Amino acid sequence: QVQLVESGGGLMQAGGSLRLSCAASGPSFSRYTMAWFRQAPGKGREFVARITGYGGSMGYADSVKGRFSISRDNAKKTMYLQMNTLKHEDTAVYYCAAYMGYATDDEGEYDYWGQGTQVTVSS
């Protein structure tokens, strides 16, 4: 069982940067593929980025590639999302998720979810 808590969201002007964190509790954190998803107002949840257990494989949605960077610190049981050059369309609730398997962008595969953190980007 893994519990996930996101932090770091807030209000930022377009062009700025934010770093989100996802703190996990429970055993075997390094065995989990971790991911970020987001849900904008009136839209469905979409994949943002993912990273495998030891960080050997990362993947990004085309909309954030080159601007966002995912990382993890297994000793701290924490995953991060560095968001640079923020755009208004990045406004969403950001969720971290975990699943004990290899890399996937499919939210249906993820077993554990955080409560979300709001990111608002003003244009």
Side-chain angles (χ1 to χ4, degrees):
Q1 190 84 12
V2 175
Q3 293 183 323
L4 304 172
V5 179
E6 303 95 336
S7 61
L11 175 64
M12 178 58 64
Q13 288 188 327
S17 298
L18 280 174
R19 189 175 83 154
L20 305 183
S21 298
C22 173
S25 61
S28 305
F29 176 74
S30 60
R31 297 177 63 186
Y32 288 88
T33 288
M34 302 292 296
W36 291 97
F37 291 82
R38 68 185 181 186
Q39 186 166 19
K43 296 186 177 181
R45 192 155 54 187
E46 65 173 359
F47 166 76
V48 176
R50 52 146 173 86
I51 184 167
T52 50
Y54 289 97
S57 175
M58 292 168 280
Y60 298 90
D62 288 343
S63 59
V64 307
K65 205 170 290 184
R67 299 188 298 121
F68 290 11
S69 178
I70 191 170
S71 62
R72 65 191 294 162
D73 185 333
N74 286 343
K76 295 182 178 180
K77 294 186 178 181
T78 302
M79 175 182 64
Y80 305 97
L81 185 69
Q82 178 66 44
M83 305 187 295
N84 298 326
T85 320
L86 283 163
K87 302 177 180 180
H88 177 67
E89 50 265 40
D90 294 320
T91 296
V93 177
Y94 284 71
Y95 298 89
C96 67
Y99 109 104
M100 194 173 286
Y102 200 61
T104 180
D105 304 347
D106 182 357
E107 68 171 290
E109 296 288 345
Y110 287 84
D111 300 309
Y112 305 103
W113 293 84
Q115 83 289 349
T117 185
Q118 176 71 47
V119 171
T120 302
V121 183
S122 61
S123 55

